[in-house]
């Protein structure tokens, strides 16, 4: 070591030594950067990069040696053999290229050390070949030990340089490898120079063909310039590559951050990068995740084993958030190549929304979406269970069927939102009356059912009473319609042994409750089954009666009491069933109103009556009865207007007859409808006056044009003083209000004489004519002198 230091201090020009070190450092950094590019390239491009790196590295070693030789001043004449000097450059380039090719093409740490050793051998071979080219007026003697040390330094530091360069990217990470390569070149050179001793000998002369120091300086300058060019090119390429890599990385990060799912790139258990979705899912900023352990957020060993055994397949696991909360996730692993090394990417999908949707689907499969009650399927399963439990325990089971009275009218008048609120209100109110052993379900529409284990009908009856009372005192919402319901009750095993039959019998009892006044409950009785079956068959046939042409209109004349002239007709509906024959209106009209078939039938009656009246040459009035369902229908006024336009009937000839019962359920809606009808030019008559609930109030509040006295008051009016007093009062009321009065049900001359004496305006009944097809009244509808004297005699 003292020999080397002495040589460096005493025999070298420090300025040239510093220049040699600078050239060597630049060459080493250039070589390392070019090797990095060669590792990432492939095919011919890789071979090109290796050739350039070999040229840069070999030239750098050669230039370093000869600049240092220019700095060496042994104090005797010297020169350089041309052939050996050129050979030293070739040896440097070839051996450096061989070492670099082995390290890059074979790959791995062992190949890097082996390639570095060959590179060190190239340094030594170039050096000692260059020293052989060095001619001096004297003798050169070598210290074998120092030569061995120089060889070892070149090989070991060369191998370390290429091993350190393995996997390094970017200029900053290339510097350690470049420093090791610099040490390999410089330490070998100066150690080798310390091993040589030059003894002057005047008898020896330098060959005239030897290159003088000045020429060598030019050659070294050219080599240094070439190194600078290669260094600049390598630096430019490295800058371009880093910019491209940064742009590509930013693009990949942008794509990763655009993903809805969490994405993590890992090596082993360490997180290399994570997108914003994963960071948001964990609850940390993305910068805090780099370098963290993936197992800290996916703690389950089973999940990691499943991913390792089945890559690219989804595995469900739990993700631990920053606050310790566990979140259900689905993870998929995909091997990827990242930064030239194998990594794996993990996609993490949040399953909370899916689990919530699955729970919602599961809930909806067994419950009603609006009310949250059990649906028909769940009720059926629970009913089967309770029937088995009742058999085992020797107890009974009650099924209560409920539906809402006039529910369709609520939807039509107040809208479906009000109807939904009513259904929710019923569910809430009734559920509050049940205990844990009882169950309520919504079977569909406005149909509900309650299941109740009980000891007998008394307990079931008490529950039905509590439900009815609770519904009477409750409303779906403030200002909404009053809730009204009827209940049918069937008992197991008393009434039925099977589920379907039990529900059917409870439904049958419900129909009986509705037909007996509504707002009450009834137990099933065996005879109800036949009646309800008959009623349902009739309802079914009624829905198709209009389409099948089974409906007919008959007309009954209305006459002026004073003159006896026919002033109009009332259209009356008849149903001729193909099997039952004529069905009484008293039977099928209530069924039509309850089933809403009355809307279709009423429309047909209105169209047919107006069409017929429009054909009469005499402009007689036509009266049509309108039910409460029609009055409360939001489309009724529009229908009347459309019928008048289509048939061409003058609005003043149409008279709409309304009973008082059609007004009481929703007076405001009825008043609006009647006013709209009046605006069309129609006339409105109160039918069956005296049989309603508040006749005088209705006469004052609603825009009536006529009063029709019910036939029950007219019958025997000539012989019954109480009846006569009532009729006189109504007639007096009509005169006081300026409303004409028509008496229905006139059957005898005595009744007609009484009405005439009391100044009744018009009459209608069998005395003037029975309801008949309109063709029998052609003399009145198309004649010139419509009187009925002969008709009275025939009647």
């Amino acid at each position: 070591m003292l020999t080397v230091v002495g040589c460096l201090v005493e025999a070298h020009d420090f300025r040239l030594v510093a220049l040699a070190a600078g050239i060597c450092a630049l060459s080493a950094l250039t070589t390392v950067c070019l090797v990095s590019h060669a590792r990432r390239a492939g095919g011919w491009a890789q071979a090109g990069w290796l050739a350039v790196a070999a040229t840069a590295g070999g030239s750098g070693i050669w230039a370093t040696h000869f600049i240092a030789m220019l700095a060496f001043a042994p104090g005797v004449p010297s020169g350089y053999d041309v052939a050996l000097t050129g050979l030293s450059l070739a040896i440097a380039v070839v051996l450096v290229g061989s070492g670099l090719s082995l390290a890059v093409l074979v790959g791995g740490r062992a190949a890097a050390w082996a390639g570095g050793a060959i590179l060190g051998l190239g340094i030594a071979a170039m050096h000692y070949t260059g020293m052989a080219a060095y001619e001096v007026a004297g003798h050169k003697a070598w210290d074998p030990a120092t030569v061995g040390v120089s060889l070892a330094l070149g090989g070991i530091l060369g191998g370390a340089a290429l091993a350190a360069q393995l996997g390094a990217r970017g200029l900053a990470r290339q510097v350690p490898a470049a420093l090791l390569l610099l040490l390999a070149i410089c330490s070998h050179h100066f150690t080798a120079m310390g091993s040589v001793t030059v003894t002057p000998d005047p008898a020896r002369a330098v060959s005239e063909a030897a290159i003088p120091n000045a020429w060598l300086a030019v050659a070294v300058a050219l080599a240094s310039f070439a190194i600078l060019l290669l260094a600049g090119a390598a630096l430019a390429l490295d800058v371009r590559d880093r910019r491209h890599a940064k742009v590509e990385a930013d693009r990949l990060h942008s794509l990763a951050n655009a993903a809805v799912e969490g994405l993590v790139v890992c090596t082993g258990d360490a997180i290399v990068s994570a997108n914003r979705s994963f960071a948001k899912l964990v609850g940390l900023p993305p910068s805090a995740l780099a370098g963290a352990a993936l197992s800290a957020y996916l703690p389950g060993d089973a999940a990691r084993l499943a991913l390792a055994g089945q890559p690219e397949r989804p595995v469900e696991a739990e993700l631990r958030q920053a606050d310790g909360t566990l979140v259900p996730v689905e993870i998929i692993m995909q091997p990827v190549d990242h930064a030239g090394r194998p990594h794996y990417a993990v996609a993490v999908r949040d399953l909370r929304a899916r689990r919530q949707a699955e729970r919602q689907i599961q809930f909806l499969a067994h419950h009603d979406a609006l009310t949250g009650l059990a649906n028909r399927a769940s009720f059926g399963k629970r009913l089967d269970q309770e029937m088995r439990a009742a058999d085992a325990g020797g107890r009974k089971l009650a099924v209560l069927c409920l539906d809402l009275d006039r529910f369709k009218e609520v939807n039509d008048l107040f809208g479906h939102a009000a109807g939904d609120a009513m259904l929710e209100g019923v569910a809430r109110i009734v559920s509050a009356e049940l205990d844990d052993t009882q169950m309520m379900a919504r079977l569909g529409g406005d149909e509900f059912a309650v299941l109740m284990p009980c000891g007998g009908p008394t307990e079931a009856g008490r529950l039905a009473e509590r439900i009815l009372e609770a519904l009477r005192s409750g409303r779906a919402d403030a200002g909404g319609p009053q809730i009204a319901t009827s209940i049918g009750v069937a008992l197991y095993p008393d009434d039925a042994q099977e589920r379907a039959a039990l529900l059917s019998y409870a439904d049958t009892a419900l129909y009986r409750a509705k037909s007996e006044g509504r707002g009450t409950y009834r137990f099933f009785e065996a005879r109800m089954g036949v009646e309800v079956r008959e009623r349902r068959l009739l309802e079914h046939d009624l829905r198709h009666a209009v389409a099948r042409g089974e409906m007919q209109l008959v007309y009954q004349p209305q006459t002026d009491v004073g003159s006896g002239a026919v002033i109009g007709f009332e259209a009356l509906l008849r149903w001729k069933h193909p099997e039952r024959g004529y069905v009484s209106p008293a039977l099928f009209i209530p069924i039509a109103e309850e089933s809403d078939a009355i809307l279709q039938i009423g429309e047909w009656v209105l169209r047919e009556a107006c069409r017929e009246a429009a054909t009469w040459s005499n402009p007689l009035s036509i009266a049509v009865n309108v039910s409460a369902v029609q009055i409360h229908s939001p489309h009724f006024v529009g229908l009347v207007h459309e019928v008048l336009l289509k048939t061409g009937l003058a609005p003043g000839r149409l008279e709409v007859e309304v009973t008082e019962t059609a007004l009481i359920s929703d007076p405001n809606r009825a008043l609006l409808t009647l006013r709209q009808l009046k605006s069309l030019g129609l006339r409105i008559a109160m039918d069956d006056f005296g049989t309603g609930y508040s006749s005088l109030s209705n006469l004052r509040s609603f825009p009536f044009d006529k009063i029709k006295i019910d036939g029950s008051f007219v019958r025997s009016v000539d012989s019954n003083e109480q009846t006569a007093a009532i009729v006189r009062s109504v007639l007096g009321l009509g005169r006081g209000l300026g409303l004409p009065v028509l008496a229905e049900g006139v059957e005898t001359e005595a009744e007609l004489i009484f009405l005439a004496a009391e100044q009744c305006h018009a009459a209608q009944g069998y005395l003037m004519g029975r309801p008949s097809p309109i063709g029998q009244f052609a003399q009145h509808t198309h004649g010139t002198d419509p009187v009925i004297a002969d008709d009275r005699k025939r009647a």
Side-chain angles (χ1 to χ4, degrees):
M1 179 60 72
L2 292 175
T3 302
V4 173
V5 173
C7 172
L8 179 62
V9 172
E10 297 173 3
H12 285 79
D13 185 344
F14 273 106
R15 291 172 295 177
L16 291 176
V17 169
L19 177 61
I23 294 295
C24 184
L26 184 60
S27 172
L29 184 60
T30 301
T31 302
V32 170
C33 290
L34 292 171
V35 169
S36 177
H37 284 286
R39 289 186 186 277
R40 296 194 298 273
W44 289 106
Q46 188 176 60
W49 283 114
L50 287 172
V52 174
T55 303
S59 300
I61 295 170
W62 186 83
T64 300
H65 171 78
F66 282 101
I67 291 174
M69 289 302 296
L70 289 174
F72 182 61
V76 293
S78 60
Y80 296 89
D81 183 84
V82 175
L84 290 176
T85 300
L87 179 62
S88 67
L89 176 60
I91 289 173
V93 172
V94 170
L95 289 180
V96 169
S98 299
L100 296 179
S101 298
L102 175 62
V104 172
L105 298 178
V106 175
R109 192 162 295 277
W113 279 98
I118 293 175
L119 187 149
L121 178 62
I123 297 172
M126 188 284 307
H127 178 85
Y128 288 110
T129 303
M131 289 301 294
Y134 181 58
E135 295 184 4
V136 65
H139 300 281
K140 294 178 286 187
W142 302 90
D143 180 19
T146 309
V147 170
V149 172
S150 70
L151 292 173
L153 286 173
I156 293 172
L157 290 174
L162 293 189
Q165 193 275 336
L166 186 67
R169 296 189 65 179
L171 187 60
R173 296 188 179 183
Q174 309 282 2
V175 170
L179 288 175
L180 288 171
L181 184 57
L182 171 65
L183 287 176
I185 297 170
C186 292
S187 64
H188 171 83
H189 174 82
F190 290 108
T191 302
M193 290 300 294
S195 69
V196 65
T197 302
V198 178
T199 304
D201 185 356
R204 294 181 65 86
V206 178
S207 172
E208 293 182 359
I211 303 174
N213 287 348
W215 288 19
L216 180 63
V218 173
V220 170
L222 292 175
S224 301
F225 182 70
I227 294 171
L228 288 173
L229 287 178
L230 291 174
L235 182 61
L237 289 173
D238 189 69
V239 170
R240 189 200 68 175
D241 184 66
R242 282 189 289 122
R243 287 179 178 175
H244 181 268
K246 185 176 185 305
V247 170
E248 188 68 16
D250 291 342
R251 186 177 70 86
L252 291 176
H253 277 296
S254 297
L255 291 174
N257 287 327
V260 177
E261 297 176 342
L263 292 176
V264 187
V265 177
C266 300
T267 174
D269 190 43
I271 296 176
V272 176
S273 64
N275 69 348
R276 282 196 294 263
S277 295
F278 183 80
K280 182 179 180 181
L281 188 59
V282 171
L284 292 172
S287 58
L289 294 173
L294 181 62
S295 58
Y297 306 107
L298 292 173
D301 293 334
R304 289 198 296 276
L305 290 174
L307 285 174
Q310 297 179 326
E312 303 182 17
R313 292 190 178 183
V315 176
E316 292 192 2
E318 287 187 324
L319 177 79
R320 178 181 288 123
Q321 295 181 312
D323 60 0
T325 305
L326 294 178
V327 175
V329 294
E330 182 181 75
I331 52 179
I332 303 175
M333 185 188 76
Q334 175 74 45
V336 295
D337 185 70
H338 181 71
R341 293 189 296 170
H343 290 68
Y344 62 91
V346 180
V348 183
R349 178 179 300 162
D350 190 350
L351 293 183
R352 284 177 293 185
R354 183 197 294 179
R355 296 282 173 84
Q356 177 65 27
E358 289 173 352
R359 287 193 294 269
Q360 183 68 12
I361 292 171
Q362 182 70 13
F363 178 83
L364 293 177
H366 299 90
H367 295 80
D368 172 57
L370 177 64
T371 62
L373 298 174
N375 59 14
R376 184 183 290 273
S378 294
F379 186 79
K381 291 180 181 178
R382 176 70 178 274
L383 181 55
D384 289 338
Q385 296 172 1
E386 293 294 341
M387 288 167 67
R388 290 192 294 269
D391 292 337
R395 290 178 58 81
K396 298 183 185 299
L397 189 65
V399 173
L400 290 72
C401 280
L402 304 77
D403 75 356
L404 305 185
D405 298 336
R406 308 287 186 187
F407 180 69
K408 187 177 186 306
E409 295 178 20
V410 173
N411 277 330
D412 291 342
L413 296 176
F414 299 96
H416 289 283
D420 290 346
M422 177 173 282
L423 294 175
E424 292 175 325
V426 170
R428 182 183 66 255
I429 293 169
V430 176
S431 296
E433 299 296 321
L434 306 181
D435 59 32
D436 294 338
T437 66
Q438 299 160 354
M439 174 188 186
M440 184 180 187
R442 183 186 177 197
L443 304 183
D446 63 329
E447 300 178 41
F448 297 88
V450 174
L451 185 61
M452 175 192 184
C454 62
T458 303
E459 295 179 27
R462 283 199 294 266
L463 177 60
E465 290 173 355
R466 288 204 312 273
I467 291 174
L468 290 173
E469 181 58 32
L471 291 175
R472 287 191 196 103
S473 58
R475 285 180 180 268
D477 55 9
Q482 178 66 47
I483 301 174
T485 187
S486 302
I487 302 177
V489 185
L491 296 175
Y492 173 86
D494 297 357
D495 296 327
Q497 304 291 322
E498 298 178 355
R499 180 181 70 185
L502 191 64
L503 287 170
S504 177
Y505 290 166
D507 196 43
T508 298
L510 170 62
Y511 270 93
R512 172 55 63 87
K514 294 174 75 70
S515 65
E516 292 185 357
R518 304 175 183 270
T520 185
Y521 72 94
R522 290 290 182 268
F523 284 93
F524 173 76
E525 298 174 5
R527 58 186 177 84
M528 291 181 182
V530 177
E531 296 175 1
V532 171
R533 193 177 304 110
E534 187 72 14
R535 180 186 179 89
R536 287 179 176 171
L537 288 173
L538 200 62
E539 179 182 328
H540 175 270
D541 293 341
L542 186 59
R543 292 184 182 276
H544 303 282
V546 172
R548 293 171 179 170
E550 297 170 4
M551 291 296 180
Q552 303 172 3
L553 284 185
V554 293
Y555 298 83
Q556 188 172 31
Q558 297 175 340
T559 65
D560 183 273
V561 173
S563 64
V566 173
I567 58 176
F569 289 89
E570 179 180 2
L572 301 173
L573 182 63
R574 296 293 183 264
W575 179 22
K576 187 177 182 181
H577 192 278
E579 297 175 359
R580 304 171 186 265
Y582 281 103
V583 181
S584 170
L587 178 60
F588 74 79
I589 291 297
I591 295 176
E593 290 182 335
E594 290 181 8
S595 63
D596 291 333
I598 193 65
L599 292 174
Q600 178 192 18
I601 295 172
E603 179 180 346
W604 179 85
V605 169
L606 181 65
R607 291 184 183 276
E608 184 65 18
C610 291
R611 183 197 61 78
E612 173 61 39
T615 65
W616 302 341
S617 57
N618 289 332
L620 304 177
S621 66
I622 182 69
V624 177
N625 289 281
V626 176
S627 73
V629 178
Q630 291 175 279
I631 287 293
H632 295 146
S633 170
H635 310 294
F636 181 64
V637 176
L639 171 66
V640 173
H641 190 205
E642 184 256 325
V643 168
L644 290 174
L645 291 175
K646 192 169 184 178
T647 60
L649 182 69
R653 295 178 58 194
L654 178 60
E655 186 175 275
V656 172
E657 297 187 357
V658 184
T659 61
E660 289 180 293
T661 55
L663 310 176
I664 61 172
S665 60
D666 187 2
N668 293 331
R669 178 69 185 182
L671 178 60
L672 175 62
T673 300
L674 294 184
R675 285 178 175 173
Q676 290 174 333
L677 291 175
K678 286 280 290 184
S679 68
L680 295 178
L682 278 65
R683 291 181 296 162
I684 301 172
M686 177 183 281
D687 197 13
D688 300 335
F689 183 78
T691 61
Y693 301 94
S694 55
S695 301
L696 297 179
S697 174
N698 289 335
L699 285 174
R700 181 187 63 183
S701 303
F702 292 91
F704 290 110
D705 299 293
K706 180 188 289 186
I707 300 173
K708 295 187 71 174
I709 303 176
D710 187 71
S712 60
F713 296 104
V714 177
R715 192 172 300 112
S716 303
V717 70
D718 57 316
S719 58
N720 190 311
E721 286 299 325
Q722 292 180 339
T723 301
I726 292 174
V727 172
R728 288 192 187 98
S729 300
V730 174
L731 292 171
L733 181 63
R735 285 191 295 272
L737 295 174
L739 297 177
V741 178
L742 183 147
E744 296 182 295
V746 179
E747 298 181 356
T748 65
E749 283 287 347
E751 293 170 352
L752 183 61
I753 292 171
F754 175 86
L755 294 173
E758 297 297 331
Q759 300 179 9
C760 181
H761 299 84
Q764 175 182 342
Y766 285 174
L767 180 64
M768 280 67 69
R770 292 178 178 273
S772 305
I774 195 61
Q776 295 188 18
F777 303 104
Q779 59 178 327
H780 305 300
T781 58
H782 296 82
T784 58
D785 185 20
V787 296
I788 63 163
D790 294 338
D791 290 332
R792 288 186 189 173
K793 293 178 181 178
R794 285 194 297 270

